[in-house]
C-alpha cells in the first residue's frame, strides 16, 4: 500500500468489462479519490456484476467475485469529468451501466492503470 493520495492520473486503459475504446478514454484524466489509500477489495464486473446487496451476497457465496487492488473514485463524478473530454465514452456509461451515474456508486481503477498523486486537483470543477 502507498502513502495517502488526493487524486489519481489514469496512465493506461484500466481492466474491466467496458469496451476497449471506453476504457482507453480514461487515459490522461485526473480523478479525485474517494478513498485516500490504495485498496484491495472484492469487485464485480460493470456489466455482469450484481446491482443490489443480495446479488453481492449471492455472487460472493458462489465465488464469482474478483479481488482488485486499486484506487476508488466516485463513479458519477468520474463519468462527469470523462464527459468533458470524451462525451461518447461517458454516454456509453449512461446507456450500458447507468447505475454508475448514481452518487452512491464507485469505480475501482486497477493499480497498474493509475499514478496516484498527493497534490490536489487544481481548479477542479466538481459538477
Amino acid at each position: 500500500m502507498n502513502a495517502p493520495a488526493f487524486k489519481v492520473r489514469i496512465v493506461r486503459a484500466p481492466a474491466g468489462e467496458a469496451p476497449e475504446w471506453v476504457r482507453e478514454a480514461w487515459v490522461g484524466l485526473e480523478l479525485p479519490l474517494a478513498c485516500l489509500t490504495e485498496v484491495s477489495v472484492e469487485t464485480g464486473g460493470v456489466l455482469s456484476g450484481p446491482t443490489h446487496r443480495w446479488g453481492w451476497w449471492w455472487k460472493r457465496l458462489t465465488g464469482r467475485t474478483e479481488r482488485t487492488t486499486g484506487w476508488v473514485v466516485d463513479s458519477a463524478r468520474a463519468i462527469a469529468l470523462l464527459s468533458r473530454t470524451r462525451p461518447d465514452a461517458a454516454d456509453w456509461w449512461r446507456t450500458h451501466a447507468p447505475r454508475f451515474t448514481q452518487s452512491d456508486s464507485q469505480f475501482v481503477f486497477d493499480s497498474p492503470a493509475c499514478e496516484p498523486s498527493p497534490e490536489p486537483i487544481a481548479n477542479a470543477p466538481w459538477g
Side-chain angles (χ1 to χ4, degrees), residues 37-122:
T37 58
E38 188 177 36
V39 299
S40 181
V41 294
E42 289 183 355
T43 58
V46 297
L47 297 174
S48 65
T51 59
H52 53 81
R53 183 183 312 254
W54 299 113
W56 269 109
W57 284 107
W58 179 251
K59 198 162 182 155
R60 289 181 75 198
L61 184 65
T62 58
R64 295 184 297 154
T65 59
E66 295 180 24
R67 182 147 298 273
T68 301
T69 300
W71 297 89
V72 179
V73 302
D74 174 274
S75 59
R77 183 175 287 174
I79 292 167
L81 292 170
L82 178 64
S83 72
R84 295 170 187 203
T85 58
R86 288 292 304 273
D88 57 334
D91 286 342
W92 184 91
W93 287 102
R94 293 182 191 110
T95 301
H96 295 92
R99 72 181 183 274
F100 291 100
T101 63
Q102 299 171 5
S103 62
D104 61 345
S105 293
Q106 298 175 324
F107 289 140
V108 179
F109 283 88
D110 59 298
S111 292
C114 300
E115 183 177 283
S117 172
E119 299 297 320
I121 297 177

